[in-house]
Amino acid sequence: MITAFTACSASQVLANLSSSILEATMTSSEAVQNQYSDKDREEADLLEDLLARIALKDQQALQRLYQKISGKLNGIAMKILNDADLSNDALQETFLQIWNNASEYRRDQGEPMAWVTSLLRYRTLDKLKSEKREQKRRDQYEEVQSLFANVSKH
């Protein structure tokens, strides 16, 4: 049966296959778009607009973004850090990074909230590393102090 195909019919089969793949891709893309509610899309559009305004150094846009998402971000930071002061520091550093780097955001690479959350995640991980280093220094200092205390007793 396969040998019965002519060169013309083989190219038609390839064209039909390409068309089917394109339709399936578009359908898949539409499915991804449809998984978000209109409210989610409106929220993402608003965040994207705020980021664009922040890229132009609009302080009111930064303030509005802060009011809109800081509670959620602080909750995420608290889950990671388990410390209110460290969480607040990470949140402040994240918004400073948003202010400085908003022009780097590209919606085609991800949703605005995902971008902002990833910035927060990196800041919280930096805080964790820093805290571990600081705790190690404190432990070493205490160990040295106890060694000196033991030596001076003898």
Side-chain angles (χ1 to χ4, degrees):
M1 289 289 266
I2 294 174
T3 57
F5 282 114
T6 64
C8 181
S9 65
S11 64
Q12 287 174 336
V13 168
L14 285 174
N16 288 340
L17 181 60
S18 294
S19 177
S20 297
I21 290 171
L22 182 59
E23 286 176 21
T25 303
M26 288 172 47
T27 303
S28 172
S29 174
E30 290 168 358
V32 169
Q33 285 293 334
N34 290 335
Q35 79 182 13
Y36 299 109
S37 70
D38 289 339
K39 184 179 177 183
D40 291 338
R41 275 191 290 265
E42 287 173 12
E43 184 76 14
D45 290 345
L46 173 62
L47 295 179
E48 181 181 29
D49 178 60
L50 290 173
L51 288 171
R53 290 174 40 205
I54 292 167
L56 299 172
K57 302 304 181 199
D58 182 337
Q59 292 179 358
Q60 289 179 333
L62 182 67
Q63 183 177 15
R64 188 158 176 219
L65 182 69
Y66 183 87
Q67 291 168 344
K68 191 140 203 59
I69 66 173
S70 64
K72 183 175 185 175
L73 292 179
N74 200 33
I76 293 168
M78 275 297 293
K79 284 183 180 183
I80 295 170
L81 296 168
N82 294 317
D83 182 286
D85 290 335
L86 291 177
S87 297
N88 289 329
D89 287 349
L91 185 65
Q92 183 176 1
E93 290 172 13
T94 299
F95 275 92
L96 182 60
Q97 190 173 9
I98 291 168
W99 178 256
N100 290 325
N101 300 321
S103 63
E104 295 176 11
Y105 171 71
R106 301 285 178 267
R107 182 120 183 224
D108 62 342
Q109 296 177 352
E111 293 298 316
M113 194 63 190
W115 184 74
V116 170
T117 304
S118 70
L119 296 178
L120 175 74
R121 180 179 167 269
Y122 289 119
R123 297 296 65 80
T124 57
L125 293 176
D126 290 346
K127 292 280 178 208
L128 281 176
K129 289 176 194 173
S130 177
E131 276 301 300
K132 285 181 182 178
R133 282 192 303 268
E134 185 60 33
Q135 184 60 48
K136 185 177 178 180
R137 281 189 207 113
R138 277 182 256 156
D139 292 345
Q140 289 172 342
Y141 178 78
E142 289 174 11
E143 185 178 336
V144 168
Q145 290 298 333
S146 69
L147 287 173
F148 281 134
N150 288 337
V151 168
S152 66
K153 289 180 184 177
H154 293 297

